[in-house]
Amino acid sequence: MKTVILQTATRYLLPLLLLFSIFILLRGHYLPGGGFVGGLVASIAFILHSFAYGREDTQDFMRFHPGYLIPIGLTLAVLSGLLPFIYGEPFLTGLWFKEPVPVVGMIGTALFFDIGVYLVVIGVSLTIIFTISEEI
C-alpha cells in the first residue's frame, strides 16, 4: 500500500504520534495512561510507517531490531521495583524525589517502571508484527 498520500501523511504523523506517546507516558503518573498505552501508540506510529514504506525500510529507519527493547525495558522495570529494598521498603514501593522537575513533574520509581513497560510494549508488539509480516 505504498501510495504518495500515505507516505506524505506518515512523514508528518510519525513524529506527532511519538510525541503523543511520550505525553501519555508522562501523564500516566497522575491520571489514567502510562507506559502500556504510550507504548501502543508508539508501536502504531512505526506500524503506520511500515504500511507506507515497507517493513524493511521501517527496520532500517529504527536502526535496530525492536526485540532489543524487551530486555532493556524488563531490566529497568525490575530495577525500579527492587530499588525500595535499599531503603527497607517492600517491592514496588514508590520512591519520589523531593523537588519536582520542570515539565515532567514529580519523578519517582513509578516513572522508571512506566518507561520499562513502555519499552517492553514497543519491543513485543513490533517484534510480533514484523515477524508476522515477514512470513506473509
Side-chain angles (χ1 to χ4, degrees), residues 69-80 113 115-117 119-120 124:
L69 294 175
I70 300 169
I72 294 170
L74 281 174
T75 303
L76 188 60
V78 169
L79 287 177
S80 70
F113 181 80
I115 292 171
V117 171
L119 295 175
V120 169
V124 168

Side-chain angles (χ1 to χ4, degrees), residues 14 17-25 34-48 50 58-59 61-74 76 113-131:
L14 181 72
L17 284 170
L18 291 176
L19 186 65
F20 183 61
S21 75
I22 292 172
F23 168 74
I24 291 173
L25 169 69
F36 187 79
V37 177
L40 287 178
V41 172
S43 297
I44 288 169
F46 289 114
I47 292 169
L48 177 66
S50 71
T58 302
Q59 287 179 326
F61 176 72
M62 292 183 70
R63 298 190 179 137
F64 57 89
H65 192 276
Y68 292 130
L69 294 175
I70 300 169
I72 294 170
L74 281 174
L76 188 60
F113 181 80
D114 276 344
I115 292 171
V117 171
Y118 180 83
L119 295 175
V120 169
V121 169
I122 293 172
V124 168
S125 59
L126 289 181
T127 300
I128 290 171
I129 295 296
F130 289 164
T131 303

Side-chain angles (χ1 to χ4, degrees), residues 96-108:
W96 301 92
F97 287 114
K98 297 197 185 302
E99 296 295 322
V101 175
V103 177
V104 178
M106 294 298 292
I107 292 184

